[in-house]
């Protein structure tokens, strides 16, 4: 499958007050094989310009170098998302409408309409991760992790799941999820408290995603409780007060180095 191409919006609907689900169609989607936690890059065109795609190349580093070679004024903004669902010809992507000043992806999602066009890179099978085979899988994340958690729940039946959202209006119909409401509390604080309070049997593994500092705190807590680092799959989807365009922090670099060190696969017992 060609890893890059154009996506056209066919439908837009508000799933919750803060989540917009956009349905896309595009060349190559019919050839895409599904797997859990399927991630892709979306390319948002700069104002006044159509989407300009780098030259197609199966090698991600060459593709990225071609992306950087696009003149800055024409280069699309790139953001990472997870496929929420799909049919043979379409994919759904959920956009969380974060409060405060809107970044390029949020601003686009607020106004998305059928006929709008974005670019994509992926989903790339090279980034597919194996499912955990642990007796119990703890999944914990915020609203940005819901698409990935939903796909994981479709494949495993041994999960204990906590999802932190703003309030009850942000809950989605996912069986077995224990919803944690911020209700004005600091982002991640109540999710961490919920995970601290759960009893996990021996042989458990964990999947963590969401705001990066919260993911680090959850992972640190689970390691202190005795889970091996190799049994914890973790991803910081976003950073407070920073975007994907900002330079990585020392913590980001440390996370990346550790994940590369575990690139042989997630053991998950």
């Amino acid at each position: 499958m060609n890893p890059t191409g154009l996506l056209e919006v066919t439908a837009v609907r508000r799933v919750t007050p803060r989540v917009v689900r956009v349905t896309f169609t595009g060349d190559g989607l019919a050839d895409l094989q599904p797997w859990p936690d399927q991630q892709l890059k979306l390319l948002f065109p700069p104002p006044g310009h159509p989407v300009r795609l780098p030259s197609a190349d199966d090698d991600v580093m060459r593709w990225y170098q071609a992306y950087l070679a696009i003149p800055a004024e024409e280069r699309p903004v790139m953001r990472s998302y997870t496929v929420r669902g799909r049919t043979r010809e379409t994919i759904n992507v959920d956009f969380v409408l974060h409060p405060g000043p809107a970044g390029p992806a949020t601003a686009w999602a607020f106004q998305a309409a059928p006929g709008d066009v974005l670019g994509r890179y992926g989903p790339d099978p090279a980034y597919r991760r194996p499912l955990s085979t642990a007796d119990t899988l703890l999944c914990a994340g915020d609203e940005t992790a819901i698409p990935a958690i939903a796909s994981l729940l479709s494949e495993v039946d041994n999960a204990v799941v906590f999802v932190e959202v703003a309030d009850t209006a942000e809950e989605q119909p996912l069986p077995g999820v224990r919803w944690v409401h911020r209700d004005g509390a600091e982002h991640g604080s109540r999710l961490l408290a919920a995970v601290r309070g759960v009893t996990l049997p021996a042989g458990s593994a964990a999947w963590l995603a969401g705001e990066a500092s919260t993911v680090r705190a959850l992972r640190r807590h689970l390691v202190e409780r005795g889970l091996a680092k190799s049994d914890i799959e973790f991803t910081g989807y976003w950073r407070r007060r920073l975007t994907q365009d900002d330079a990585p922090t020392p913590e980001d670099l440390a996370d990346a180095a550790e994940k590369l060190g575990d690139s042989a696969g997630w053991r998950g017992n």
Side-chain angles (χ1 to χ4, degrees):
M1 177 186 141
N2 191 332
T4 191
L6 295 176
L7 295 172
E8 181 176 345
V9 177
T10 61
V12 180
R13 72 181 183 93
R14 191 67 69 96
V15 177
T16 72
R18 298 189 183 189
V19 175
V20 171
R21 181 164 299 159
V22 180
T23 301
F24 296 96
T25 189
D27 291 341
L29 294 184
D31 301 324
L32 179 65
Q33 297 300 311
W35 63 84
D37 193 8
Q38 192 170 58
Q39 299 181 28
L40 77 163
K41 306 288 187 184
L42 294 180
L43 304 176
F44 299 84
H49 292 276
V51 179
R52 180 170 172 180
L53 296 176
S55 56
D57 196 314
D58 290 339
D59 181 87
V60 64
M61 292 309 299
R62 287 195 296 269
W63 183 92
Y64 186 63
Q65 290 302 315
Y67 166 78
L68 293 177
I70 297 173
E73 66 275 10
E74 300 179 20
R75 187 185 308 138
V77 174
M78 184 163 56
R79 294 291 185 264
S80 300
Y81 281 89
T82 305
V83 175
R84 179 62 174 83
R86 59 161 298 172
T87 66
R88 177 169 171 78
E89 303 291 342
T90 67
I91 59 171
N92 291 331
V93 178
D94 284 1
F95 294 80
V96 177
L97 306 179
H98 295 286
T106 298
W108 181 89
F110 265 117
Q111 302 181 23
D116 290 347
V117 175
L118 297 181
R120 67 165 175 85
Y121 181 90
D124 188 338
Y127 294 95
R128 182 174 184 172
R129 300 285 287 176
L131 286 172
S132 170
T133 57
D135 293 337
T136 299
L137 177 64
L138 169 69
C139 295
D142 61 19
E143 47 269 87
T144 63
I146 290 175
I149 288 174
S151 69
L152 289 168
L153 290 178
S154 69
E155 299 291 333
V156 301
D157 56 7
N158 57 342
V160 175
V161 185
F162 293 94
V163 179
E164 183 188 275
V165 293
D167 49 42
T168 55
E170 293 303 311
E171 294 184 12
Q172 297 186 30
L174 288 175
V177 171
R178 306 181 194 186
W179 297 98
V180 180
H181 304 136
R182 282 191 294 277
D183 289 329
E186 181 182 7
H187 194 109
S189 61
R190 291 186 173 174
L191 180 62
L192 181 57
V195 171
R196 282 175 172 159
V198 71
T199 299
L200 295 174
S204 296
W207 182 98
L208 313 172
E211 193 279 320
S213 66
T214 300
V215 169
R216 290 188 194 103
L218 288 166
R219 182 170 178 260
R220 187 162 51 246
H221 165 70
L222 292 173
V223 170
E224 290 170 352
R225 286 177 60 169
L227 267 71
K229 290 183 177 180
S230 59
D231 291 338
I232 304 174
E233 175 79 0
F234 67 101
T235 305
Y237 284 160
W238 61 283
R239 302 176 293 172
R240 291 183 231 194
R241 296 177 293 278
L242 295 172
T243 74
Q244 288 185 341
D245 301 321
D246 294 307
T249 66
E251 293 83 3
D252 297 330
L253 294 173
D255 288 347
E258 190 154 358
K259 288 172 76 71
L260 284 172
D262 191 37
S263 60
W266 180 24
R267 191 160 50 84
N269 289 330

